[in-house]
Amino acid sequence: MTARNLIEPLKVGTVVKIRDSGYHRAKIAEFLGPLGPKGARVYRVLVQTKPRRTYIEVLEDQLEVLTDV
């Protein structure tokens, strides 16, 4: 994780990968705030699975920003 992510939250629409989940790509749908343990940032992430979409809440340290999109 870069120093930029520690200062400001990820933007809505950023394409990410959820570590150790099996999902290859996901998109930030909402920043929920510092609701995790010790004030960790929590995000709602949209995962496009067939036949429907799924939203998952994850901590910031579980996310990896994909830059090759």
Side-chain angles (χ1 to χ4, degrees):
M1 197 180 284
T2 62
R4 184 187 74 78
N5 291 341
L6 296 175
I7 297 170
E8 56 188 49
L10 297 172
K11 297 188 186 297
V12 172
T14 302
V15 178
V16 295
K17 177 182 177 187
I18 303 170
R19 292 184 184 148
D20 302 324
S21 70
Y23 295 117
H24 298 290
R25 291 178 54 178
K27 193 179 285 189
I28 302 288
E30 185 179 359
F31 172 59
L32 299 175
L35 302 174
K38 297 183 182 176
R41 293 180 179 153
V42 178
Y43 294 90
R44 179 170 288 138
V45 178
L46 172 64
V47 179
Q48 298 281 351
T49 58
K50 293 184 180 178
R52 59 183 167 189
R53 301 184 229 185
T54 304
Y55 290 93
I56 303 171
E57 283 81 21
V58 294
L59 296 175
E60 186 173 41
D61 61 353
Q62 295 173 309
L63 297 176
E64 212 175 289
V65 177
L66 296 178
T67 57
D68 58 349
V69 177

